[in-house]
Amino acid sequence: MRILNYAIGGGARAGFVRDGRVYDLAEAARIAGFDRLADIGSVDELLGRGLLPDALRLGSAQQPGVKPVDKPRVLTPVLKPQKILMVAVNYPSHGKESGVKPPPEPYFFTKFTSCLVADGEPILLPKVSKKVDWEVE
């Protein structure tokens, strides 16, 4: 079972995936009587309110009457993170394929939130770039 942000038409919604299908978290919460989760709008809000354990418990339980979402568009896992911190060359295989020797100690770097791209969305490449490296995190 996974938690995700998705959209149908307009704004973002929080949901969970079970058996390859997406279910709306707030709808499932209302049906199951999980009042604390009934107004959750996104995974960001879920994390900010410390309700992830409740959402995992709800998503793992079978709920009669909860219908899967029809044709959801999967969004980024977190919509508006305050910051994105990355660890450079933290996998030996990545360093080897890039021709970069891993540093003796890990070092961190940041990314802008505009670097987040949802599944199926276009990746915009800068015109001045000679080489663009992608990573799926």
Side-chain angles (χ1 to χ4, degrees):
M1 199 273 305
R2 298 177 307 171
I3 302 288
L4 79 160
N5 284 309
Y6 75 93
I8 297 180
R13 304 282 307 151
F16 58 90
V17 179
R18 188 177 333 129
D19 300 326
R21 305 197 67 186
V22 174
Y23 296 84
D24 187 79
L25 185 69
E27 178 188 352
R30 284 190 290 277
I31 290 171
F34 267 67
D35 294 337
R36 291 172 41 164
L37 298 173
D39 65 341
I40 293 293
S42 70
V43 173
D44 301 52
E45 186 179 347
L46 183 72
L47 296 172
R49 290 173 50 187
L51 296 174
L52 181 60
D54 291 336
L56 293 172
R57 205 168 21 261
L58 174 68
S60 296
Q62 296 295 327
Q63 293 120 1
V66 179
K67 300 200 181 336
V69 176
D70 188 39
K71 298 180 183 170
R73 183 170 52 92
V74 176
L75 303 175
T76 57
V78 179
L79 300 172
K80 297 178 182 173
Q82 292 180 352
K83 47 184 111 146
I84 301 173
L85 299 172
M86 311 290 284
V87 180
V89 196
N90 56 331
Y91 295 102
S93 60
H94 180 63
K96 186 181 279 187
E97 74 185 20
S98 303
V100 176
K101 184 178 176 185
E105 296 177 0
Y107 64 90
F108 296 88
F109 62 99
T110 60
K111 289 285 187 180
F112 292 105
T113 57
S114 61
C115 290
L116 294 175
V117 179
D119 182 45
E121 294 293 318
I123 298 173
L124 304 177
L125 303 176
K127 290 179 181 179
V128 298
S129 294
K130 302 280 189 251
K131 178 184 174 192
V132 176
D133 186 24
W134 62 275
E135 287 193 43
V136 179
E137 303 293 342

